[in-house]
Amino acid sequence: LAKTTQPISMDSYEGQEVNITCSHNNIATNDYITWYQQFPSQGPRFIIQGYKTKVTNEVASLFIPADRKSSTLSLPRVSLSDTAVYYCLVGGSTGYALNFGKGTSLLVTP
Amino acid sequence: GAGVSQSPSNKVTEKGKDVELRCDPISGHTALYWYRQSLGQGLEFLIYFQGNSAPDKSGLPSDRFSAERTGGSVSTLTIQRTQQEDSAVYLCASSLTQGRYTDTQYFGPGTRLTVL
């Protein structure tokens, strides 16, 4: 399973764009990149998943460069309610990456 | 429809007692996962079920931990002779297909276990 590295914590002000980068140097050809969000006292929830280039949904965008050795989760105009822990996972159809790690703790302040 | 449910939401027990934690996955989801999250830590994988079988038990921390799934639905995680280090939030998740990574995992609210 590909190992991932992401910052332990990040701070932002309301209304700013937040970019969280995850490194996964040994990503395999069949691996997908998935991000989950976890609020305090709740289980994680799926945010976005991608394989290459850019994926966008109503919550976030995911940017994946051509070499796929990293990925960036972009949260536009964050609000206080975006304060949460964000997990980057890498895995593919040959298995199931279940290593959530410690994630990135994002704190959004007024 | 209903999401993943877990019971109890909180469990306080004494060291040495056995506890059972229950997970009801989303109807029709064939894959079921158990994780453990200690205070301030990330999620630690415990076990994965595909239908009623558990092809991956590699995360169970000791032989005091066991899990079963019956009828391809409800799962029970049992911890025997609980220790204080077992205190954590136990999270259950389910996914639609047979454990392919690209499947979205839907998590329950968790069971907070406190061992005194």
Side-chain angles (χ1 to χ4, degrees):
Chain A
L1 300 175
K3 177 179 168 60
T4 60
T5 302
Q6 51 183 128
I8 296 295
S9 64
M10 294 182 69
D11 296 328
S12 178
Y13 293 108
E14 274 190 297
Q16 290 189 327
E17 178 184 78
V18 171
N19 296 308
I20 306 174
T21 297
C22 179
S23 297
H24 28 80
N25 290 320
N26 60 338
I27 189 169
T29 302
N30 291 334
D31 285 347
Y32 281 75
I33 301 154
T34 308
W35 287 79
Y36 282 78
Q37 174 190 55
Q38 185 178 26
F39 296 115
S41 301
Q42 294 185 26
R45 68 167 188 163
F46 172 89
I47 300 178
I48 198 166
Q49 184 179 80
Y51 182 81
K52 62 181 180 180
T53 62
K54 176 183 175 182
V55 179
T56 297
N57 61 23
E58 65 278 6
V59 176
S61 293
L62 179 60
F63 297 91
I64 305 168
D67 67 6
R68 304 200 326 122
K69 293 184 183 300
S70 67
S71 59
T72 298
L73 175 72
S74 182
L75 305 172
R77 299 178 299 282
V78 293
S79 64
L80 299 178
S81 62
D82 291 316
T83 293
V85 178
Y86 293 82
Y87 296 95
C88 166
L89 287 82
V90 173
S93 58
T94 54
Y96 35 87
L98 303 172
N99 177 19
F100 277 75
K102 294 186 178 181
T104 297
S105 179
L106 173 65
L107 175 63
V108 180
T109 55
Chain B
V4 177
S5 61
Q6 293 185 245
S7 61
S9 56
N10 280 285
K11 177 70 177 180
V12 180
T13 190
E14 294 180 347
K15 178 181 175 181
K17 301 279 186 160
D18 297 351
V19 295
E20 285 190 353
L21 311 179
R22 176 187 169 105
C23 172
D24 280 275
I26 293 172
S27 178
H29 280 195
T30 56
L32 186 146
Y33 314 79
W34 282 99
Y35 297 84
R36 177 170 70 173
Q37 187 168 36
S38 301
L39 188 63
Q41 301 297 309
L43 277 75
E44 174 189 6
F45 166 74
L46 298 178
I47 189 169
Y48 152 70
F49 285 93
Q50 182 171 306
N52 288 336
S53 64
D56 190 345
K57 303 179 181 179
S58 63
L60 292 177
S62 76
D63 58 8
R64 296 186 296 105
F65 287 72
S66 63
E68 64 176 13
R69 188 180 185 193
T70 55
S73 181
V74 172
S75 177
T76 303
L77 176 69
T78 301
I79 309 173
Q80 296 179 310
R81 305 180 302 282
T82 53
Q83 304 294 313
Q84 289 182 332
E85 61 263 29
D86 298 333
S87 296
V89 176
Y90 289 82
L91 289 157
C92 173
S94 68
S95 66
L96 182 60
T97 58
Q98 299 276 321
R100 290 183 300 117
Y101 177 68
T102 51
D103 298 334
T104 298
Q105 295 186 26
Y106 296 85
F107 283 80
T111 293
R112 181 175 298 279
L113 174 65
T114 302
V115 182
L116 302 177

